[in-house]
Amino acid sequence: MKMIEVKDLSKDFGDVQALSHVNLNFEENTIYGLLGRNGAGKSTLLNIINNRLFPSSGSVEFDGAAVTENPKSLSQFYLANEDNLYPEGMTVKNAFKWSKEFYPGFDTNYAYKLCGLFELSPKKKIKKLSTGYRSIFRNIVALSVNVPFVFLDEPVLGLDAYHRELFYKILIEKYAERPFTAVISTHLIEEVAGVLERIIIIKDGNIIRNTSAEELLQAGYCISGSAALVDDYTKGRALIGCDTLGGLKTAYVIGKPDGAIPDGLEVGNMDLQKLFIQLTSA
């Protein structure tokens, strides 16, 4: 099984520690969500994995070999982020041509098909693209390179609702037809939740959760009702946070509901976005 191993990785920018002793594995044919608030360390981690930044300590290995300055390993990865690695005056069409030179598996016909679906003219110069269409261009290249590991850093930046939904639909179709590993880094949790198989939550450069989406959502529950009843019920239970509106309160509890639920209280399933907010706040 092909696997990327992140081993005890740290990265400092002067006095700021962006990553702290991160240990992770990315296995083949899996869709990961790398979730975190702005500045949590998501982009730094992806840039180090893809050899665009060097760690302060620790290492990244692919199939047991270090990826640093290792073209053979790095040819199995593709990172799509805000950095434009193509000349600004280059057209989309020529960008596809050069992508094929560096990634022989690049499917030009598929890239043109996606251009049609997203209404992106291949004749357009990259510098003339809006923020949303720059994201679309990057996503089209990422979905066309046909490498085992694709990293998508904020892939729906600037996209309208229609194009966001279209992107997720195409991603799932591509994954079903030709499985690969996709690592989606985003802070837009609600709309990506249904796509993810495994979830990694990063906070202040530390990994605070790394589990399957199903296990994470089954790890707790919500209890709602009057503030007094909720406070009484949650005494002695493992709380990760709560929301209050007037005299009503919702508490987020780790564990399973035990015993009878008192009248006036309502139990609900944990929502990924709400869970994320509670885990990464404060």
Side-chain angles (χ1 to χ4, degrees), residues 14 33 44 82 106 108 114 124 153 193 199 228 257 268:
T44 299
E82 284 192 81
F106 185 89
T108 305
L114 295 186
K124 272 269 195 180
D153 193 2
I199 294 172

Side-chain angles (χ1 to χ4, degrees), residues 18-239:
L19 296 173
S20 178
H21 303 287
V22 170
N23 291 280
L24 286 174
N25 292 337
F26 293 104
E27 298 181 353
E28 62 183 355
N29 303 336
T30 306
I31 300 180
Y32 290 87
L34 179 60
L35 311 181
R37 297 170 65 183
N38 290 332
K42 305 187 302 296
S43 295
T44 299
L45 176 60
L46 297 189
N47 275 303
I48 291 175
I49 290 172
N50 287 274
N51 204 42
R52 297 188 189 178
L53 282 175
F54 295 109
S56 300
S57 61
S59 64
V60 180
E61 296 182 1
F62 178 64
D63 278 359
V67 303
T68 304
E69 305 296 348
N70 185 340
K72 182 179 179 181
S73 293
L74 292 169
S75 69
Q76 305 298 296
F77 309 164
Y78 186 84
L79 169 62
N81 64 6
E82 284 192 81
D83 295 334
N84 176 37
L85 302 181
Y86 300 90
E88 288 286 325
M90 182 176 282
T91 62
V92 170
K93 179 180 179 179
N94 283 333
F96 291 165
K97 176 185 174 182
W98 282 105
S99 297
K100 180 76 173 178
E101 293 292 323
F102 289 99
Y103 293 90
F106 185 89
D107 189 336
T108 305
N109 291 333
Y110 182 70
Y112 281 121
K113 175 184 175 182
L114 295 186
C115 281
L117 292 172
F118 283 101
E119 300 175 306
L120 171 62
S121 171
K123 296 179 181 179
K124 272 269 195 180
K125 290 186 177 181
I126 296 171
K127 68 179 178 181
K128 297 291 187 180
L129 299 177
S130 66
T131 299
Y133 270 99
R134 282 183 177 237
S135 293
I136 287 170
F137 164 69
R138 290 192 295 268
N139 293 340
I140 289 174
V141 175
L143 292 173
S144 301
V145 291
N146 290 320
V147 295
F149 292 84
V150 174
F151 299 86
L152 299 157
D153 193 2
E154 301 294 353
V156 296
L157 180 70
L159 271 62
D160 58 31
Y162 171 78
H163 282 137
R164 293 200 304 272
E165 185 174 340
L166 180 60
F167 165 72
Y168 293 123
K169 177 177 179 289
I170 290 171
L171 174 67
I172 291 297
E173 289 175 350
K174 175 80 174 182
Y175 178 74
E177 292 170 5
R178 184 170 178 167
F180 63 102
T181 292
V183 180
I184 304 172
S185 169
T186 184
H187 60 276
L188 300 175
I189 312 302
E190 187 173 8
E191 59 189 29
V192 77
V195 174
L196 306 177
E197 295 177 282
R198 290 195 63 85
I199 294 172
I200 298 163
I201 299 179
I202 185 168
K203 178 183 178 183
D204 299 330
N206 296 280
I207 304 301
I208 61 172
R209 291 291 188 279
N210 179 9
T211 184
S212 72
E214 183 179 7
E215 288 175 350
L216 182 63
L217 293 176
Q218 290 180 351
Y221 61 99
C222 305
I223 188 83
S224 303
S226 70
L229 285 175
V230 170
D231 287 341
D232 187 58
Y233 174 84
T234 55
K235 287 177 181 177
R237 289 181 166 86
L239 289 183

